[in-house]
């Protein structure tokens, strides 16, 4: 590397000197004004100049020419320093992006799990609670297994046979499957104990069709059926069927109908141990189920039976209601047959069903990852 300084009255003349002296490949290192003149520092690669375009010999007077004292490796060092700075900038930028991505990756499993829980039909509140306590810092599939186990744990399950009393009353919204449930439970007892041990009462006096439905079932199985409308007729029916396991069917009403409370109050006034069961249709709106359950004093319902699981698109909504209302599940029905379509269940079984249902409504890949966890 050869470095020279050129001084002239203006830039144009100084550049002309550089060009004449060092050739067209010369590099301009500095251009400054000194005592009214322009000083240009220029350099040329000697090797290149020798092998290629050799600079023409200097025609300048010696006084205008000055050997530059700056050592070649000092300039090279400066260039190296600049290059290092540039590389450090690139590196800082890259590392900054990397650490952001790492943070995003630690958050990602949580959001994947949240999406799955919401797809199952769980409320944001329950999904959030499950994730807060059971999935932090876990990889997706490990976290998913833990979250599902925690969901199953929150679901209480019970067995009707374990509950005290031999009178069972069934409540629920319109058309959810109350009469079918009464018939199924009675049918199960008939198979086990015989028809002489089972009896039915209906409080559904509002529609003639409702009574006919239960009457034809009682006739077919050879068990008594009484219709009651007040405290007196209800007590009379119970006396006549003393010693039997009795199932009371109620009229389906909306959660806003005062008569729902009336039927419940009538049965409670008996002052006998009664198992109060709620039928919750898996295909109904969770808000409707929650409002129905709220009609009952806390802890007075013995449990719930989930109906129409076969018609539901997801089970999360009803599972959410069971958890928030602290209702133990006693079984579920998934078809119209009586008594066959009533099944016993527990928390893990329900969670498995909930996952399978979600799977059916989702893409095969989502289904695979959900299935892998149960
Ligand atoms: N697919 C399906 N249908 C069911 C199930 N349980 C009951 N059903 C049907 O739902 C309809 C209503 O059933 P009911 O047992 O009469 O319901 P309910 O709650 O007594 O109705 P109301 O007394 O009118 O309020 C009937 O057609 C039943 O066959 C179930 O688990 N799956
Ligand atoms: Mg009915």
């Amino acid at each position: 590397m050869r470095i020279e300084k050129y001084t002239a009255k203006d830039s144009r003349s100084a550049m002309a000197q550089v060009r004449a002296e060092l050739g067209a490949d010369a590099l301009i290192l500095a251009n400054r004004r000194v005592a009214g003149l322009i000083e240009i520092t220029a350099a040329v690669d000697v090797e290149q100049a020798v092998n290629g375009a050799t600079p023409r010999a200097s025609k300048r007077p010696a006084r205008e020419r000055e050997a530059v004292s700056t050592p070649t490796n000092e300039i090279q060092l400066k260039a190296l320093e600049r290059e290092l700075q540039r590389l450090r900038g690139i590196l800082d930028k890259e590392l900054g992006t990397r650490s952001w991505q790492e943070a995003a990756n630690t958050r990602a499993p949580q959001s994947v799990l949240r999406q799955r829980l919401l797809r199952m039909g769980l409320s944001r509140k329950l999904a959030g609670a499950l994730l807060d306590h059971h999935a932090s810092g876990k990889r997706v599939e490990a976290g998913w297994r833990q979250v599902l186990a925690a969901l199953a744990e929150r679901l209480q399950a019970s067995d009707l046979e374990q509950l005290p009393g031999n009178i069972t009353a069934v409540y629920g919204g319109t058309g959810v499957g109350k009469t079918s449930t009464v018939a199924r439970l009675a049918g199960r007892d008939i198979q086990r104990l015989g028809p002489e041990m089972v009896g039915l009462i209906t409080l559904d006096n509002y529609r003639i069709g409702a009574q006919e439905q239960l009457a034809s079932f009682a006739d077919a199985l050879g068990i008594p059926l009484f219709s009651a409308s007040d405290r007196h007729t209800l007590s009379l029916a119970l006396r006549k069927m003393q010693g039997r396991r009795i199932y009371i069917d109620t009229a389906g009403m909306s959660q806003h109908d005062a008569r729902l409370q009336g039927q419940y109050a009538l049965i409670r006034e008996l002052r006998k141990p009664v198992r109060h069961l709620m039928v919750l249709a898996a295909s109904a709106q969770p808000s409707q189920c929650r409002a129905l359950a709220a009609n009952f004093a806390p802890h007075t319902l013995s449990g719930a039976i989930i109906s129409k699981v076969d018609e539901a698109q997801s089970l999360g909504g009803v599972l959410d209601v069971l958890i928030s209302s602290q209702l133990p599940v006693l079984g579920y029905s998934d078809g119209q047959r009586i008594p066959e379509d009533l099944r016993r269940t527990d928390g893990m079984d329900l969670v498995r069903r909930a996952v399978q249902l979600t799977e059916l409504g989702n893409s095969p890949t989502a289904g695979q990852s959900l299935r892998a966890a149960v």
Side-chain angles (χ1 to χ4, degrees), residues 68-83:
V68 175
S69 61
T70 317
T72 307
N73 35 6
E74 200 177 306
I75 295 215
Q76 282 172 337
L77 270 175
K78 280 212 169 357
L80 206 61
E81 207 175 291
R82 271 201 303 275
E83 185 60 15

Side-chain angles (χ1 to χ4, degrees), residues 86-122:
R86 199 175 66 82
L87 286 173
R88 185 183 292 159
I90 294 172
L91 213 61
D92 279 353
K93 210 169 140 199
E94 277 296 305
L95 286 175
T97 313
R98 182 83 54 84
S99 69
W100 180 85
Q101 276 169 347
E102 276 163 10
N105 283 343
T106 52
R107 275 200 297 274
Q110 289 264 337
S111 53
V112 170
L113 298 182
R114 188 181 308 277
Q115 276 307 311
R116 289 185 185 180
L117 291 173
L118 296 181
R119 247 184 0 232
M120 275 170 72
L122 295 185

Side-chain angles (χ1 to χ4, degrees), residues 250-268:
T250 63
M253 285 166 193
S254 94
Q255 63 269 31
H256 309 297
D257 197 323
R259 289 176 299 174
L260 176 70
Q261 280 288 328
Q263 296 182 100
Y264 175 51
L266 186 63
I267 297 170
R268 288 196 81 194

